Amino acid sequence: MTERLEGETGLARAVELLRAGELVAIPTETVYGLAADVTNGEAVAGIFEAKGRPRFNPLICHLASLEAADQVGVIEGAARRLAQAFWPGPLTLVVPLRAEAGLSPLVTAGLDSVALRVPALPLAHALLEAFGGPVAAPSANPSGKISPSTAAHVAQALTGRIAAVLDGGPAEVGVESTIVECSGDAPRLLRPGGLPVEALEAALGAPLNRTAPVNDTEPSAPGQLSSHYAPGKPVRLNVTEPPEGAIFLAFGPGYPQADANLSQAGDLREAAANLFAMLHRLDALPGEEICVAPIPQQGLGLAINDRLTRAAAPRG
Ligand code: AMP
Ligand code: MG
């Protein structure tokens, strides 16, 4: 069952559900987002499951204000100028992540940068204020389908897969946010969107670097995303009996000797929530390579295996 929520009581219910680790589709001025508590790894994993997303690409973190965003990312220089000029609004900034912010690594796909946005829609703002923390939210549509600009679109596509839809009327902008990366030297356009590039350039007083567009839905090659996390050690997949001295990442019951287990219970949502944190931890252990137990190729297993396969691919 997916609840249809509206008004004051709907907002309170949406907050309650988010706190309980449920998925709630929320209105914003760009498109409807599928929101989860950023600190709850299993809730964030649920986003990928509900969308049927075959890849763990990093998600946009939605916040109530610039002050709230300051707690999560380092917003300086050009990023700060853009935030002050265009937030709240359809602009997402990719900035260095504050490790102490407590985000599930699944939100950033294990990266040390984070995508932040302060939405302008008053209902989205009210929700974020009442929730009291950031939510991760990609567009609230099944993977590969068009983004939803009404609550009815969301309900049509995701009923039964998410806890609720908060109805805030039709999305005014109707296309996704413009994404600018400000973690390197010069700001770079990662995705054109609802905020015109000309407006950004006027605010910066300089042209934007537009050389590296990111295809976030279908990267044709590993690494086409502007950056992605991979462990430093070689990774070997589908290992059931790791060699002496290897680091072993297990999945499911029956691996008492493993260095870590993505999910003792064999639960893919728990495994997804643990994936990046465990890879980071194992990468820091002494040992030549990381061996990973087989992960079933179904549901969230597709995204887990996609990331592991890329980590195991020969490095150029
Ligand atoms: P979506 O949430 O589906 O609107 O897509 C989010 C977009 O932001 C994707 O294109 C991601 O690749 C991009 N993105 C989010 N976080 C980061 C990050 N830390 N570094 C680079 N790109 C990011
Ligand atoms: Mg989308």
Side-chain angles (χ1 to χ4, degrees):
M1 245 300 288
T2 297
E3 300 175 32
R4 283 292 282 275
L5 308 174
E6 56 184 19
E8 283 289 310
T9 51
L11 188 140
R13 177 70 180 145
V15 168
E16 184 178 74
L17 288 167
L18 286 170
R19 291 212 175 111
E22 300 286 346
L23 302 180
V24 180
I26 61 166
T28 81
E29 73 278 20
T30 57
V31 299
Y32 275 69
L34 184 54
D37 179 354
V38 292
T39 64
N40 185 330
E42 291 195 32
V44 178
I47 291 177
F48 292 88
E49 191 170 55
K51 285 179 65 84
R53 241 193 207 188
R55 293 201 168 82
F56 290 130
N57 34 10
L59 304 174
I60 297 173
C61 191
H62 292 69
L63 305 113
S65 62
L66 174 55
E67 292 68 37
D70 279 329
Q71 310 296 308
V72 178
V74 181
I75 306 168
E76 290 171 349
R80 194 144 206 101
R81 288 208 300 284
L82 294 176
Q84 282 166 340
F86 298 110
W87 280 355
L91 171 67
T92 295
L93 296 171
V94 175
V95 298
L97 171 70
R98 291 190 194 279
E100 69 275 17
L103 265 57
S104 158
L106 207 48
V107 174
T108 58
L111 299 171
D112 53 14
S113 58
V114 63
L116 303 176
R117 181 165 104 81
V118 176
L121 187 76
L123 187 57
H125 177 79
L127 176 98
L128 290 164
E129 279 278 309
F131 180 61
V135 300
S139 52
N141 53 286
S143 184
K145 300 285 192 286
I146 55 167
S147 297
S149 55
T150 66
H153 289 163
V154 179
Q156 241 166 42
L158 294 177
T159 287
R161 320 193 85 191
I162 64 177
V165 184
L166 178 62
D167 194 341
E172 209 171 281
V173 177
V175 296
E176 282 87 351
S177 60
T178 302
I179 306 181
V180 178
E181 182 185 49
C182 297
S183 41
D185 306 335
R188 214 154 54 101
L189 181 69
L190 293 187
R191 177 178 80 187
L195 183 69
V197 172
E198 293 75 13
L200 289 165
E201 294 184 329
L204 288 169
L208 259 186
N209 180 348
R210 305 188 196 187
T211 52
V214 173
N215 179 346
D216 61 325
T217 48
E218 277 303 318
S220 58
Q224 190 181 324
L225 273 176
S226 58
S227 48
H228 74 250
Y229 169 74
K233 293 190 204 303
V235 174
R236 197 144 61 84
L237 306 182
N238 294 313
V239 177
T240 46
E241 288 174 34
E244 189 76 19
I247 301 166
F248 188 44
L249 179 59
F251 173 82
Y255 295 106
Q257 312 300 351
D259 295 281
N261 194 322
L262 288 166
S263 169
Q264 296 269 7
D267 178 314
L268 288 167
R269 203 189 263 221
E270 184 185 16
N274 281 331
L275 180 66
F276 290 103
M278 286 185 174
L279 285 176
H280 268 291
R281 184 149 59 76
L282 298 189
D283 206 21
L285 293 180
E288 294 289 295
E289 63 173 353
I290 300 174
C291 295
V292 187
I295 314 285
Q297 184 67 357
Q298 64 188 53
L300 277 174
L302 268 63
I304 296 173
N305 282 321
D306 168 73
R307 181 48 53 119
L308 288 170
T309 303
R310 289 203 258 168
R315 315 272 161 92

